[in-house]
Amino acid sequence: MNKAFMKLNFCSLSSGSSGNCYYLGNDFHGILIDAGISATSIRKFLKNMDISMQTIMGVLITHNHIDHIRGLELLTRKNSLPAFTTHKIWKSILTPQKKISPDCIREIPLKQKFHLAGFDIEAFKVCHDAPETIGFHICAGDQKITIVTDLGHICKTASRYIKAANLLVIESNYDEQMLVNGKYPHYLKERIQSDHGHLGNHQTSAFLADIISDNLSNICLAHLSKNNNSPEIVLQTLHQTFSERGIILNGQQRISILNRNTPTDIISLIE
Ligand SMILES: [Zn+2]
Ligand SMILES: [Zn+2]
């Protein structure tokens, strides 16, 4: 196969507070980003998409919240899969209850490229209420993918990595009105809305309206709240914001809402 025209596939296996796991790869190798659903579900979903577990070279971990690491222990143990995250995040993950084989633990630096499965990957900090939370910027040939699933505020660094992306996975966690009027206790509403919580639909839409360019061909809206959001409201908010700002998508640009509990259609790019 001519490597210059190799297809690069992205797929979300699950996205939201019940569990996050994303796949990026080509015919030869791939990686997972987060392992927040059971290892059994990860293997099953990949098999259903004809993606061999043998091609998975590692899993990148964004932070220690359970919806991002639920399947990590079994996945690393049963598949001898290396897992990559920062020293500080490893410290927050490894507890007497959560044992990961030392052979599978890989520490990565912040804002320094490392190489895995043919990809150049950089991790960068985002604002979220875990001991440390990171986003990933992944370069595969000409394609650049940025993944930021949990963040309460988009700082300058994150913004720089997001602007460089052709494919962006960004959260649109809650509808502001639904959260305010909903049943969550006051402290939880405050936590979610804070700079270290999650991004609301209006926040994400306004940010996207600020940064959208022709380079950004795929926007995947991720980590939707079960109780305070719906795919319809996310899309409605985004389209309304774009229309108010006079932004018209160029025909090649695609917006996807990532499913909470099931895999989303594969997005194929040319590497
Ligand atoms: Zn999360
Ligand atoms: Zn989180």
Side-chain angles (χ1 to χ4, degrees), residues 3-215:
K3 201 165 188 289
F5 297 103
M6 198 148 61
K7 230 173 28 174
L8 179 70
N9 294 321
F10 170 80
C11 177
S12 163
L13 306 188
S14 193
S15 182
S17 49
S18 316
N20 293 270
C21 184
Y22 309 90
Y23 164 84
L24 183 71
N26 54 35
D27 286 345
F28 303 103
H29 34 60
I31 55 172
L32 297 174
I33 299 96
D34 282 334
I37 52 176
S38 74
T40 312
S41 297
I42 294 174
R43 281 192 289 266
K44 186 182 81 183
F45 288 151
L46 289 175
K47 191 164 177 256
N48 290 346
M49 289 184 287
D50 279 334
I51 297 165
S52 161
M53 203 57 217
Q54 309 300 323
T55 63
I56 306 293
M57 311 299 283
V59 52
L60 313 179
I61 300 295
T62 59
H63 63 302
N64 75 342
H65 288 165
I66 191 69
D67 56 318
H68 298 261
I69 60 165
R70 186 176 282 110
L72 183 62
E73 196 174 347
L74 260 188
L75 193 72
T76 48
R77 180 156 19 109
K78 284 210 166 168
N79 297 84
S80 309
L81 203 64
F84 298 76
T85 196
T86 64
H87 176 73
K88 201 167 175 182
I89 297 173
W90 273 125
K91 265 178 72 179
S92 68
I93 289 174
L94 298 169
T95 60
Q97 293 78 36
K98 200 106 189 154
K99 292 195 183 72
I100 309 282
S101 158
D103 292 348
C104 296
I105 295 177
R106 303 279 194 282
E107 277 188 15
I108 54 169
L110 285 167
K111 298 207 290 190
Q112 258 180 57
K113 275 190 190 137
F114 67 97
H115 201 68
L116 173 66
F119 303 134
D120 282 322
I121 305 171
E122 271 179 79
F124 56 92
K125 267 200 224 189
V126 296
C127 301
H128 187 56
D129 57 0
E132 184 161 86
T133 305
I134 53 179
F136 291 103
H137 184 66
I138 303 167
C139 297
D142 289 338
Q143 296 293 341
K144 294 175 171 49
I145 294 99
T146 299
I147 299 185
V148 281
T149 58
D150 294 52
L151 68 172
H153 159 78
I154 303 167
C155 65
K156 265 195 183 156
T157 304
S159 177
R160 189 162 55 80
Y161 284 105
I162 291 170
K163 283 180 194 164
N166 306 112
L167 186 153
L168 170 65
V169 178
I170 187 168
E171 82 166 339
S172 193
N173 182 256
Y174 61 95
D175 173 73
E176 287 82 349
Q177 276 310 311
M178 282 175 83
L179 178 69
V180 168
N181 298 330
K183 286 187 181 145
Y184 282 5
H186 184 68
Y187 80 90
L188 189 53
K189 290 181 183 179
E190 290 221 311
R191 193 226 119 190
I192 292 169
Q193 287 177 301
S194 79
D195 273 0
H196 285 80
H198 292 278
L199 291 177
N201 295 343
H202 284 90
Q203 266 177 299
T204 302
S205 296
F207 172 76
L208 289 172
D210 285 342
I211 60 109
I212 194 156
S213 70
D214 284 342
N215 285 338

Side-chain angles (χ1 to χ4, degrees), residues 187-243:
Y187 80 90
L188 189 53
K189 290 181 183 179
E190 290 221 311
R191 193 226 119 190
I192 292 169
Q193 287 177 301
S194 79
D195 273 0
H196 285 80
H198 292 278
L199 291 177
N201 295 343
H202 284 90
Q203 266 177 299
T204 302
S205 296
F207 172 76
L208 289 172
D210 285 342
I211 60 109
I212 194 156
S213 70
D214 284 342
N215 285 338
L216 184 56
S217 53
N218 276 283
I219 297 173
C220 299
L221 297 163
H223 212 296
L224 270 64
S225 162
K226 182 182 174 195
N227 298 313
N228 298 306
N229 214 351
S230 75
E232 295 73 27
I233 293 175
V234 171
L235 278 179
Q236 196 189 349
T237 308
L238 187 70
H239 287 139
Q240 194 183 332
T241 307
F242 279 14
S243 126

